[in-house]
Amino acid sequence: HSDPVAIYAQTFLDRFLGSSRVDNFFSFYWKYLASLAERYDTTVCSGQWLADKLTRFGIPRTQAVPFGIDKHFFSPDHRDESMRTRLLAECGIGPEGKLLINVSRFHPEKRLGTILKGFKKASQSQEMGLVIFGDGPFRKFYGRKADKIPNVHLAGFTKDRQELATALASADAMLHGSASETYGLVIAEAICSGTPVIVPDVGGAADLAGQDYAELYPPGNVSACTQAIGRMFARDTDKMSAGIQEAIDSRIGTMADHFKQLFEVYGDLSEQKKSAQG
């Protein structure tokens, strides 16, 4: 459920070296994981893309058991024009503007600096607001950066899940910065809320981002992030809605799906042990 190389090394180095070269540079870490995994019957991870990556770096017997979300709670039915208008007003613009939303922990791995700079450049050619939900150890650092950018509102951390579900469903797009997601729960929640996504082109976020409803950009690349925002708001919203609905139906599972598959993995391992013991 974590990729330390992506969280730390790639966050700071991939813009200079590229993700693949950073992974290869940390081959000693992957060898350590492979040695550790040899002691176990299986290594379970949260997405097929990650299972393929682990296998590529020598981790044996990997199995993907994707996470899931509450698909009934996060739904397009929660869209609320009054909330959308209120959030845009918090950003200092009227209801005719575009509303971007981000839900994030305030930590370097989430690359809030990239999305703030990308948003700033994109908002110079089209009226839009950015609302960021979340908190974390770098709250003051990113708060100072956000204060210098027009039309950005830091909404803070909310314990009200209904407020978050309604905000996600009421936005025009989600803007995400992290390239180290192993699954991308908040991306899945946004998609199930009927909201298209703008995400980095690697990691769990990209794995959930179908071309019918998403725009991708290289992680940490401000110019590419700006261009992805522009492309998103030039697209046909009806066509994206159809793609999102297909993803809701077939691409994203529930927590019940997750645990059913997980227990099936455990059951299969148990049967293999019994057979091996004769």
Side-chain angles (χ1 to χ4, degrees):
H1 303 322
S2 177
D3 181 347
V5 174
I7 291 174
Y8 297 106
Q10 288 181 354
T11 294
F12 296 105
L13 298 175
D14 63 4
R15 74 195 69 179
F16 307 110
L17 303 175
S19 298
S20 296
R21 290 181 68 186
V22 174
D23 268 327
N24 291 332
F25 184 75
F26 282 83
S27 59
F28 66 90
Y29 174 76
W30 297 115
K31 289 178 181 178
Y32 160 73
L33 279 187
S35 175
L36 181 65
E38 283 289 359
R39 308 175 190 178
Y40 295 88
D41 296 306
T42 189
T43 294
V44 178
C45 58
S46 57
Q48 187 57 52
W49 77 272
L50 185 54
D52 293 341
K53 177 178 180 178
L54 294 176
T55 299
R56 190 168 69 251
F57 283 100
I59 285 72
R61 300 178 295 280
T62 58
Q63 296 192 65
V65 181
F67 286 153
I69 66 164
D70 187 339
K71 293 170 66 174
H72 297 293
F73 189 81
F74 292 94
S75 164
D77 295 338
H78 293 311
R79 185 175 178 86
D80 184 333
E81 291 301 324
S82 63
M83 173 174 273
R84 181 179 182 279
T85 298
R86 177 175 67 79
L87 290 175
L88 283 168
E90 295 279 8
C91 296
I93 60 177
E96 68 283 352
K98 296 292 188 181
L99 177 60
L100 286 162
I101 192 169
N102 173 271
V103 182
S104 190
R105 185 165 62 93
F106 285 64
H107 186 277
E109 70 169 288
K110 301 301 182 181
R111 306 193 195 221
L112 289 172
T114 298
I115 68 169
L116 285 170
K117 292 176 183 177
F119 169 81
K120 180 180 180 180
K121 294 179 70 174
S123 64
Q124 292 171 357
S125 58
Q126 185 173 0
E127 190 173 35
M128 63 183 72
L130 171 63
V131 175
I132 303 176
F133 283 91
D135 204 346
F138 286 78
R139 169 66 175 78
K140 291 183 179 180
F141 175 78
Y142 288 116
R144 288 193 294 269
K145 289 182 175 294
D147 287 343
K148 299 176 182 178
I149 302 173
N151 310 130
V152 175
H153 171 56
L154 300 186
F157 176 78
T158 179
K159 294 182 180 180
D160 187 341
R161 293 181 74 238
Q162 186 59 60
E163 177 188 21
L164 185 60
T166 304
L168 282 171
S170 303
D172 295 300
M174 162 169 273
L175 179 59
H176 191 70
S178 176
S180 59
E181 310 287 1
T182 55
Y183 177 74
L185 288 171
V186 72
I187 304 303
E189 290 169 353
I191 293 168
C192 286
S193 297
T195 302
V197 297
I198 306 165
V199 301
D201 60 6
V202 297
D207 193 51
L208 291 172
Q211 62 180 0
D212 292 336
Y213 53 86
E215 290 292 340
L216 304 179
Y217 66 94
N221 189 316
V222 173
S223 178
C225 178
T226 300
Q227 293 170 22
I229 295 171
R231 292 196 304 271
M232 174 59 73
F233 290 144
R235 294 179 66 164
D236 185 308
T237 56
D238 289 336
K239 289 183 179 179
M240 284 197 294
S241 294
I244 288 173
Q245 188 57 56
E246 184 177 351
I248 294 172
D249 293 339
S250 61
R251 194 169 187 143
I252 298 171
T254 66
M255 286 307 296
D257 296 328
H258 167 75
F259 282 109
K260 180 177 182 293
Q261 186 176 349
L262 184 64
F263 294 149
E264 287 174 351
V265 168
Y266 293 163
D268 289 343
L269 288 173
S270 178
E271 289 300 318
Q272 292 171 20
K273 286 289 187 181
K274 290 178 181 179
S275 297
Q277 293 169 359

